[in-house]
Amino acid sequence: MLLEAETLPTWRYFWRLMRFRPRYYASDLIGITIRFTLMTVTGLILRAFFNGLAAGDGFTVSAWTAVGLQLLYAVLSVTSLVVAVMAFVNFTQHGMALLIRNLLQHILSLPGSMPLPLEEDGAPMSVGKAISTLRDDVHEMLHSIIIIDDTVALSVTAIVAFAIMLSINVAVTLGTFLPLLLIIVVAQRLGNLAREYRRKARRSTAEVTAMIADMFNATQAIKVGNAEERIINRFREVNANRREAMVRDRLLSQLVDALSNGTVDVGTGLVLLLAAQAMVADQFTVGDFALFAAYIWPATQMMRVAGTLLTRYKQVGVSTQRMEAMMRGQPVGAIVAHNRIYMHDSYPVPEQLEKEPHDHLQHFKARGLTYQFSPQTDDSDGHQPSSADGKGILDVDLDLPRGSFTVVTGRIGSGKTTLLKCLLGLLPLQKGAIYWNGQRVRQPTRFMRPPRVAYTGQVPRLFSETWRDNVLLGLSERRVALPRAIHLAVLEEDLGEMDAGMETLVGPRGVRLSGGQIQRTAAARMYVREAELLLFDDLSSALDVETERQLWERLFALDVRPTCLVISHRRPALRRADQILVMEGGRVTDRGALEDLLQHSVEMRALWQGDRDGGE
């Protein structure tokens, strides 16, 4: 269960969404109000027609006039309904796009180390549960707002209808108010219970979604562990819990609907019973009866919709709390902040290639970079955090002149990857500063990205799309040098051997490619962005010696070589380094040229001798 998040009153979320696309909301409200209000006109026409047949006095209309007016009513009703439906579709789709946009924008702006919302056990929210929030809770909120339109439209219609009915016969009219009181009382009492059932249903659905995602992502591990039967049994258990929660949630919703629809029937029976007695007493005409029969549906429908609105209003509180939990760190209500969405306009070209003058790197440096996964003490006590456990970096300095090739090396757990993640903003710095051309970088998460910086991770992430799409990631092929990137990544022969070439589907996480092809595809993705600073995290770990040699040769053959910071223990990279940083226990313990380090650094000699794959 998610930790409780601070929320605004539900009506404030509704109000901000209504103001996001006011013309669509107003069109839906006006269109549906006109459609329902026209029913009162139909009742008056029927009353005049039947009174004319029965007595021939008062305001009467002929049969053909009544037919013509009914046809006019049908045209106006259909027109207003079409306007309302079109506005409803646009309003809900724009609103859902805004909520999803705000949620994703916040998630993607977080450092890579920041988990999704924490649950009661302290674990981060699973991807499956996040998807459930993006799908179900967003839908719940927008479609609950639209019920307000129906309630307002039916209320206006009911007020007009009640006024006309009261002017005809007070006793018969009051019979329709009794169900209204009942539905309000029942809806209020069931509201809290409905909210709790909805929360449990959402939670159980998210658990099922999360487990499905986990099973797909861990298929190999399940097979190796011979755990198929246990996984299936656990999935059946989780799905049974979801079924029970969904049945209870649906049962309560259906109970409210049943009470509402039953109340409509009770109201209809009361009207018919009272009208019959009044007609016997000659206090009610056939035309009056026709008018009341026409007004029964909008009058009692208003009671049903009002009860539904009260129930949904309670349930939406669960959705707002889940969405605010995903927006942690942002002001309360940021989930409905107005931002541009692209429903009809063309999507903007991803940020790429248009470098400002200050983006061109002349010198990059970092001073005192510190990040500990488990800090021992608070800085306010005057103590320095320890890096003896090897779970972070401590007081790391970097100097990367333009065009330089710097290699960071060290044993597993020495802090190499942590250093790169701190530079990229994927981990938040606890101490230290980063400087680009002498200017301090205040927000590495936003600054250290293309076209300034490009990065290839230790375990590249590919998507189940074509090879071309995995490299471009939305960039226009016309605006980038894709053949150049393929050449630099040494992929010409590999693509030539693929049946569909660049249109080859690589499968989930690139399962149809070899480990070396995955790494070089990620390298092509990096090269195509033509960044000033390239960060490599053990790029050549899955490459053979010849491919790795070609990779570095082609990079060094460029007329203008980008600045490179490379994590590697392999000899081809170490030989080409302008400087090498040796890391131990999160610290840089030595730095310099390869020849000097091999002479005086025990750690460097051990790493050099230990490299068996990157030999001569």
Side-chain angles (χ1 to χ4, degrees), residues 18 76 122 176 186 280 306 345 372 375 459 495 501 509 514 534 569 612:
M18 292 174 188
L76 294 176
T176 62
V186 172
V280 171
D345 302 332
Q372 295 288 287
V459 182
L495 288 173
R509 299 175 181 262
S514 68
L534 302 182
H569 66 280
R612 303 304 182 198

Side-chain angles (χ1 to χ4, degrees), residues 407 409-411 574 580-584 587-610:
V407 176
T409 191
R411 300 176 189 271
L574 292 169
I580 299 172
L581 278 64
V582 181
M583 295 193 69
E584 296 181 73
R587 294 178 181 270
V588 176
T589 58
D590 220 333
R591 68 181 72 210
L594 175 62
E595 293 77 7
D596 295 336
L597 290 174
L598 287 176
Q599 289 180 11
H600 69 260
S601 173
V602 176
E603 183 69 10
M604 184 69 245
R605 286 197 298 269
L607 293 168
W608 181 262
Q609 295 298 328

Side-chain angles (χ1 to χ4, degrees), residues 407-527:
V407 176
V408 180
T409 191
R411 300 176 189 271
I412 295 174
S414 60
K416 305 183 298 297
T417 296
T418 302
L419 172 60
L420 288 195
K421 289 185 175 181
C422 287
L423 292 175
L424 291 165
L426 299 177
L427 292 173
L429 286 173
Q430 295 164 352
K431 281 186 178 181
I434 299 171
Y435 299 90
W436 185 278
N437 295 338
Q439 299 295 316
R440 183 168 182 176
V441 177
R442 301 288 180 181
Q443 294 182 303
T445 304
R446 297 181 180 274
F447 186 88
M448 301 289 287
R449 59 185 184 182
R452 292 176 286 272
V453 180
Y455 163 69
T456 296
Q458 196 171 27
V459 182
R461 175 59 67 95
L462 300 187
F463 303 94
S464 186
E465 299 290 345
T466 65
W467 184 92
R468 186 196 308 272
D469 289 338
N470 270 281
V471 172
L472 296 176
L473 290 182
L475 296 180
S476 171
E477 189 173 345
R478 296 189 300 272
R479 302 184 62 197
V480 299
L482 185 56
R484 172 183 177 273
I486 293 172
H487 173 74
L488 288 174
V490 197
L491 275 164
E492 303 97 319
E493 292 186 8
D494 298 83
L495 288 173
E497 293 173 357
M498 297 179 188
D499 293 338
M502 288 189 286
E503 300 304 317
T504 299
L505 291 171
V506 303
R509 299 175 181 262
V511 295
R512 295 182 181 176
L513 304 181
S514 68
Q517 288 173 331
I518 291 174
Q519 286 189 320
R520 284 178 288 141
T521 297
R525 177 193 292 169
M526 176 176 62
Y527 287 136

Side-chain angles (χ1 to χ4, degrees), residues 291-302:
L291 180 141
F292 271 63
Y295 287 176
I296 288 173
W297 185 87
T300 51
Q301 184 76 358
M302 183 271 293

Side-chain angles (χ1 to χ4, degrees), residues 307-421:
T308 301
L309 178 61
L310 289 173
T311 302
R312 292 288 287 271
Y313 188 86
K314 295 282 189 180
Q315 293 171 339
V316 168
V318 179
S319 298
T320 58
Q321 194 167 85
R322 285 163 57 101
M323 288 189 286
E324 287 290 1
M326 290 185 67
M327 292 290 288
R328 64 184 182 83
Q330 293 293 305
V332 180
I335 181 63
V336 286
H338 293 183
N339 287 290
R340 186 176 181 183
I341 58 174
Y342 299 89
M343 299 296 290
H344 304 294
D345 302 332
S346 299
Y347 291 101
V349 177
E351 184 180 333
Q352 158 72 1
L353 297 181
E354 288 80 8
K355 299 176 184 176
E356 300 294 334
H358 61 270
D359 290 335
H360 295 281
L361 179 62
Q362 301 302 323
H363 191 271
F364 179 87
K365 69 178 182 180
R367 292 291 181 266
L369 301 187
T370 298
Y371 177 84
Q372 295 288 287
F373 289 99
S374 302
Q376 301 297 318
T377 58
D378 190 284
D379 293 337
S380 61
D381 296 332
H383 298 92
Q384 295 295 328
S386 170
S387 186
D389 56 5
K391 294 182 179 179
I393 59 174
L394 184 63
D395 200 25
V396 174
D397 294 341
L398 282 176
D399 283 281
L400 308 179
R402 179 176 178 80
S404 62
F405 189 85
T406 301
V407 176
V408 180
T409 191
R411 300 176 189 271
I412 295 174
S414 60
K416 305 183 298 297
T417 296
T418 302
L419 172 60
L420 288 195
K421 289 185 175 181

Side-chain angles (χ1 to χ4, degrees), residues 25 40 200 245 257 272 403 462 486 514 518 527 546 550 579:
Y25 186 78
T40 61
K200 291 180 179 179
D257 288 342
L272 292 175
L462 300 187
I486 293 172
S514 68
I518 291 174
Y527 287 136
E546 177 59 24
Q550 294 183 56
Q579 65 170 331

